[in-house]
Amino acid sequence: GIINSVSQFSSRIFGGGGDEGSSTEPVKEEWRRSGISAPLGTAPRRRLPSKEEEDAARTRKQRQAADEVARREAEAHEAHLSEEEKITRKKVLAFIKAASQGRTDECLEMVESGCSANATDDHGRTAIHAASAGGHLETIEALLDLDDIDDEILDKQGKAPMHTACQHGRTEVLEFFVDLGMDVNMPAGKKAKCRTPLMFAAANGHVDIIGALLHADVDLIDAKDSEGCTALQIASKAEQMEAADALEGAAEARRLASKRQQEESMVRKKRTLQRTNTRMLLKTESRFSLRSMLQAAQKQHQDQNQQGWDRLLRHAKEVNEEKKSRASVLR
């Protein structure tokens, strides 16, 4: 009896040792009830999360908590609204939803009926924020044609429509904003750590956005957020390897271009110096040649004068000798 009890107990724990005809279904059912997914000693060890995973999970929980707080605040705020204010708020939310879905005509009709183009939802997002997140370029163009639209308005997280477009990887919207002359290095608010559009693209791994921004200004990779992190560091922390590789490649290309410019500048300086030295040498040789010519002319003049004196002396001697000969003949 003791041996049978021990064998039954071991079969419950380790999943074996019973008779061939016995069923294991009651044992598995008991495991499910007790929360055990496998016999003791056979379950794989649980992998401990890395620091990056813990940070991501913490950030996700904080975001969910913030969303829950915002929802409760909105419900509390809505409870104190009058009926007219509730109707206005529903219109605003419908307007922003229409913009997020790219229903341009419906948005314009709501604006004509009195809805403000800069109206915000519970998160402070406007219709142009929603259209930028959805990538609806036609809706954005129609909204920007309105007179009182603010294309750089910040939501409660401190993000402008350009930041939203980069965060969601909307390349066409970004290029449209760049063509309008918007600042590609626009910092977000403090709640968003003062991040630039490039940092939002790097954090979410949008390589096309990174390429478009660096094409506009390659020095954007040097910018830092309020925590002192660059876009490359943000991409590395978020484990966006393609974005990090793109940023590293851009930094290396800029370094090589700067080195090439320095080398070309040194070559230009050397050529200028060579031309200057050549001009000075030619000028010196010209002066030297002129001086030599003057000295040769003076020497020739002196030689000519000396020859003239010699001729005069010979002529005088000849005249004296002739006079002497005549005198002797007369004698």
Side-chain angles (χ1 to χ4, degrees):
I2 297 175
I3 295 175
N4 292 333
S5 299
V6 171
S7 62
Q8 291 177 2
F9 180 72
S10 62
S11 65
R12 286 186 178 185
I13 295 178
F14 299 105
D19 297 336
E20 293 179 359
S22 62
S23 175
T24 59
E25 291 298 328
V27 178
K28 292 182 179 179
E29 183 65 25
E30 186 176 351
W31 291 343
R32 282 195 291 269
R33 290 175 184 175
S34 62
I36 301 175
S37 59
L40 295 178
T42 62
R45 293 185 179 181
R46 185 179 178 184
R47 184 180 66 85
L48 295 177
S50 62
K51 185 177 182 302
E52 291 77 9
E53 292 175 344
E54 291 179 351
D55 294 339
R58 191 181 303 109
T59 303
R60 187 166 54 253
K61 289 182 180 179
Q62 291 176 354
R63 190 183 301 112
Q64 292 175 353
D67 293 341
E68 182 65 21
V69 170
R71 187 183 64 80
R72 291 179 180 178
E73 290 179 352
E75 291 177 353
H77 178 68
E78 187 176 0
H80 296 84
L81 294 177
S82 62
E83 291 299 326
E84 184 178 357
E85 290 174 340
K86 289 181 180 179
I87 293 173
T88 302
R89 183 174 179 276
K90 287 182 179 179
K91 288 183 178 179
V92 169
L93 294 179
F95 172 53
I96 295 174
K97 184 177 181 180
S100 66
Q101 296 176 354
R103 303 198 299 268
T104 306
D105 296 336
E106 187 175 345
C107 291
L108 296 178
E109 290 176 0
M110 290 183 179
V111 172
E112 291 178 358
S113 64
C115 186
S116 174
N118 296 319
T120 59
D121 61 3
D122 301 332
H123 299 280
R125 293 174 294 195
T126 62
I128 195 170
H129 279 98
S132 299
H136 304 295
L137 188 58
E138 182 181 353
T139 305
I140 295 172
E141 292 177 353
L143 291 172
L144 290 178
D145 288 337
L146 301 175
D147 295 334
D148 57 345
I149 191 70
D150 186 0
D151 56 2
E152 295 184 357
I153 189 171
L154 304 180
D155 60 10
K156 289 185 178 180
Q157 294 295 325
K159 293 181 291 186
M162 176 177 282
H163 300 132
T164 304
C166 294
Q167 183 179 8
H168 291 83
R170 307 303 181 183
T171 308
E172 293 182 356
V173 177
L174 171 65
E175 292 175 349
F176 176 71
F177 286 155
V178 172
D179 292 338
L180 289 179
M182 292 188 182
D183 185 11
V184 294
N185 201 25
M186 179 193 307
K190 292 183 179 179
K191 289 186 177 180
K193 303 178 182 179
C194 301
R195 290 186 172 181
T196 62
L198 181 65
M199 297 176 185
F200 284 103
N204 293 276
H206 300 306
V207 180
D208 293 339
I209 297 289
I210 292 173
L213 288 169
L214 294 180
H215 180 73
D217 185 3
V218 71
D219 292 333
L220 295 176
I221 55 179
D222 295 330
K224 297 181 180 180
D225 61 4
S226 58
E227 295 180 348
C229 296
T230 62
L232 176 58
Q233 293 171 336
I234 291 172
S236 300
K237 288 182 179 180
E239 296 185 354
Q240 301 291 347
M241 295 298 102
E242 291 185 3
D245 292 341
L247 291 166
E248 287 180 352
E252 181 66 16
R254 187 185 63 166
R255 188 186 68 80
L256 294 176
S258 177
K259 183 178 179 180
R260 191 181 304 111
Q261 290 177 355
Q262 292 178 358
E263 292 176 352
E264 291 177 354
S265 177
M266 291 296 297
V267 170
R268 286 195 298 269
K269 288 181 180 179
K270 288 181 179 180
R271 289 177 179 175
T272 303
L273 184 60
Q274 289 176 356
R275 287 195 296 268
T276 303
N277 293 337
T278 302
R279 284 196 298 268
M280 293 178 64
L281 181 61
L282 291 174
K283 190 180 293 184
T284 304
E285 290 180 352
S286 176
R287 291 178 181 176
F288 179 76
S289 301
L290 182 60
R291 189 181 303 115
S292 301
M293 291 173 63
L294 290 175
Q295 292 176 355
Q298 291 177 356
K299 186 177 181 181
Q300 184 179 4
H301 183 66
Q302 292 176 357
D303 294 340
Q304 290 177 355
N305 289 339
Q306 186 65 35
Q307 291 176 2
W309 282 107
D310 291 341
R311 285 196 299 271
L312 289 174
L313 289 175
R314 284 198 302 271
H315 182 68
K317 290 180 179 180
E318 291 175 355
V319 171
N320 290 331
E321 290 178 355
E322 186 177 355
K323 287 181 179 179
K324 289 179 180 179
S325 61
R326 289 179 181 177
S328 61
V329 170
L330 290 174
R331 289 188 187 125

